[in-house]
């Protein structure tokens, strides 16, 4: 099926997911919607996020005729996915949540979860911990106010200040893994590693890509002969 896959995020973060999907599915075609006008999502209320995301979903489904929607944003997924899936049953949705299950399944003992305030405070994040954490494992949630926005605006000074603060806050912990619970954060893996050397960084992008592949197969809507092209749409000129 040659209709496109719609991907959305509050800016450039979702490209970390897009990259993995393209590796697995090189023939698929995409519309990447970067809602940089409304960045950051992670410091908005659930209702505000839902309203914004719902409008983009409607645009991608009804105007752009996308065959699937990928919510390449942990904030929007943890806050709105359930409601979106209930509202739109005509096409499949795939989302991304912090890789807490991956950290627990791989037996890391002391994990930091970095994410936006809205993701950290979400019911879904707390469910993920409850469902996956085993005895002897410690998971510390860190609400990274301003970090996604600093990455979006390539503000290196601000990025370093925030990472320094996180390091100070967690210096007594013997951290062995960090979950990058916002799709913007893999874009600064190098900087995070400088502050936390010898710590494994985990994100959900490969898992999301595999889920996209499974869903396309399940609904028999794969594109095996496409060009692999990506159309980028920004809500604010960039
Ligand atoms: N990239 C997004 C996420 O995964 C949202 C960042 C933001 O806009 O606050 O949470």
């Amino acid at each position: 099926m040659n209709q496109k896959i719609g991907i959305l995020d509050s800016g450039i973060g979702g490209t970390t997911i897009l990259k993995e999907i393209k590796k697995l599915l090189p023939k698929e075609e995409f519309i990447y919607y970067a809602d940089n006008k409304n960045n950051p999502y992670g410091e908005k209320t659930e209702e505000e996020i839902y309203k914004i995301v719902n409008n983009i979903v409607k645009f991608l489904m009804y105007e752009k005729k996308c065959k699937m929607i990928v919510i390449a944003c942990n904030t929007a997924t943890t806050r709105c996915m359930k409601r979106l899936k209930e509202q739109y049953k005509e096409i499949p949705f795939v989302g991304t949540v912090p890789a807490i299950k991956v950290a627990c399944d791989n037996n890391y003992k002391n994990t930091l979860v970095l994410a936006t305030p809205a993701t950290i405070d979400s019911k879904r994040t707390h469910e993920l911990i409850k469902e996956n954490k085993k005895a002897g494992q410690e998971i510390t949630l860190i609400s990274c106010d301003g970090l996604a926005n600093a990455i979006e605006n390539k503000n290196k000074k601000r990025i370093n200040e925030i990472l320094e603060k996180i390091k100070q806050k967690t210096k007594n912990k013997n951290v062995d893994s960090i979950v990058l619970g916002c799709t913007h954060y893999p874009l600064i893996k190098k900087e995070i590693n400088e502050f936390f050397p010898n710590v494994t960084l985990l994100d959900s992008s490969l898992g999301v890509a595999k889920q996209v592949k499974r869903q396309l197969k399940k609904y028999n809507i794969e594109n095996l002969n496409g060009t692999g092209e990506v159309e980028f749409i920004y809500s604010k000129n960039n």
Side-chain angles (χ1 to χ4, degrees), residues 9-10 39-42 73-75 116 119 148 182-184:
D9 179 46
S10 67
N39 181 286
Y41 283 179
C73 171
N74 292 264
T75 307
T116 68
T119 299
C182 165
T183 53
H184 280 72

Side-chain angles (χ1 to χ4, degrees), residues 187-204:
L187 295 169
I188 56 156
K189 268 188 185 167
K190 200 177 122 262
E191 290 81 352
I192 296 174
N193 264 140
E194 280 164 15
F195 281 87
F196 295 91
N198 309 317
V199 169
T200 305
L201 305 182
L202 305 167
D203 69 69
S204 304

Side-chain angles (χ1 to χ4, degrees), residues 29-54:
E29 296 170 10
F30 303 88
I31 297 182
Y32 184 90
Y33 193 102
D35 189 14
N36 51 341
K37 190 175 101 190
N38 290 306
N39 181 286
Y41 283 179
E43 286 150 51
K44 293 185 166 51
T45 66
E46 185 163 309
E47 213 40 51
E48 285 169 334
I49 302 166
Y50 185 78
K51 237 184 180 166
I52 292 167
V53 171
N54 188 29

Side-chain angles (χ1 to χ4, degrees), residues 24-168:
L24 272 193
L25 301 160
K27 301 283 184 194
E28 292 291 340
E29 296 170 10
F30 303 88
I31 297 182
Y32 184 90
Y33 193 102
D35 189 14
N36 51 341
K37 190 175 101 190
N38 290 306
N39 181 286
Y41 283 179
E43 286 150 51
K44 293 185 166 51
T45 66
E46 185 163 309
E47 213 40 51
E48 285 169 334
I49 302 166
Y50 185 78
K51 237 184 180 166
I52 292 167
V53 171
N54 188 29
N55 279 332
I56 303 170
V57 165
K58 276 199 258 177
F59 170 74
L60 291 172
M61 276 177 71
Y62 300 130
E63 279 186 46
K64 293 294 184 175
K65 311 279 179 228
C66 289
K67 61 181 176 183
M68 171 189 272
I69 304 287
V70 179
I71 309 282
C73 171
N74 292 264
T75 307
T77 303
T78 54
R79 291 292 180 155
C80 311
M81 187 55 119
K82 207 167 157 251
R83 211 161 142 193
L84 288 169
K85 278 186 173 168
E86 278 163 14
Q87 185 162 344
Y88 302 103
K89 303 220 195 286
E90 46 278 59
I91 60 168
F93 279 73
V94 175
T96 179
V97 294
I100 293 168
K101 181 172 172 17
V102 180
C104 295
D105 287 354
N106 285 286
N107 297 316
Y108 288 104
K109 290 271 165 290
N110 212 322
T111 300
L112 297 186
V113 179
L114 308 187
T116 68
T119 299
I120 293 293
D121 292 338
S122 69
K123 200 169 146 226
R124 186 76 193 105
T125 295
H126 290 268
E127 278 169 5
L128 284 167
I129 295 175
K130 227 171 157 187
E131 287 161 11
N132 295 292
K133 187 166 104 79
K134 293 181 285 225
Q137 292 184 315
E138 189 178 327
I139 296 180
T140 308
L141 297 175
I142 309 276
S143 181
C144 303
D145 305 45
L147 187 54
N149 193 250
I151 297 168
E152 185 70 25
N153 294 310
K154 302 187 175 60
N155 185 341
K156 286 194 179 143
K157 186 169 166 272
R158 187 85 191 106
I159 292 169
N160 284 330
E161 282 168 6
I162 296 170
L163 292 178
E164 177 60 36
K165 245 198 206 156
I166 297 169
K167 195 185 160 135
Q168 289 309 321

